[in-house]
Amino acid sequence: MGSWITIILLYAVVIGGLYLIVIRPQSKKKKKEESMRKNVQIGDEITTIGGISGRVVGIKEDSELIIETGTDRNKIKVKRWAIGSVDTIHDDAE
């Protein structure tokens, strides 16, 4: 009977360790990325996951952005999920 309790405790420790090492940090990163994508504003400099960088000039609906790239001001429509990073630093002094 004592060996079964030891085995169950060992499995619980392994599963708890996997949760703390793998699942929890991954969910924190996902929440941070969702927040970053949700808070994009007109005028922000962004880089897409495909490597295209530009400035946001318009927001259509809630899922699409229009960005302006290069000196010739080409406009590209991208989905919000395709934003890799926001390169503009905002003051959060509110």
Side-chain angles (χ1 to χ4, degrees):
M1 184 71 179
S3 63
W4 285 102
I5 293 174
T6 306
I7 292 172
I8 291 173
L9 287 175
L10 183 63
Y11 278 120
V13 168
V14 169
I15 291 171
L18 285 175
Y19 173 77
L20 291 175
I21 293 172
V22 177
I23 298 170
R24 188 166 177 242
Q26 194 173 26
S27 66
K28 279 186 173 183
K29 181 180 177 185
K30 186 177 178 182
K31 283 182 183 180
K32 185 177 177 184
E33 287 176 350
E34 287 176 7
S35 172
M36 178 256 318
R37 290 179 177 132
K38 184 179 177 184
N39 294 325
V40 171
Q41 302 171 358
I42 293 176
D44 286 351
E45 295 286 331
I46 66 166
T47 303
T48 66
I49 56 176
I52 299 170
S53 59
R55 184 173 52 92
V56 178
V57 293
I59 299 175
K60 284 187 149 191
E61 303 163 6
D62 272 343
S63 63
E64 293 182 346
L65 303 169
I66 299 173
I67 63 171
E68 192 174 74
T69 61
T71 56
D72 53 358
R73 298 180 183 235
N74 289 328
K75 291 189 171 85
I76 300 173
K77 190 187 310 184
V78 295
K79 297 288 185 181
R80 198 175 283 267
W81 58 262
I83 298 172
S85 67
V86 177
D87 304 325
T88 306
I89 299 172
H90 293 285
D91 293 332
D92 294 333
E94 295 176 11

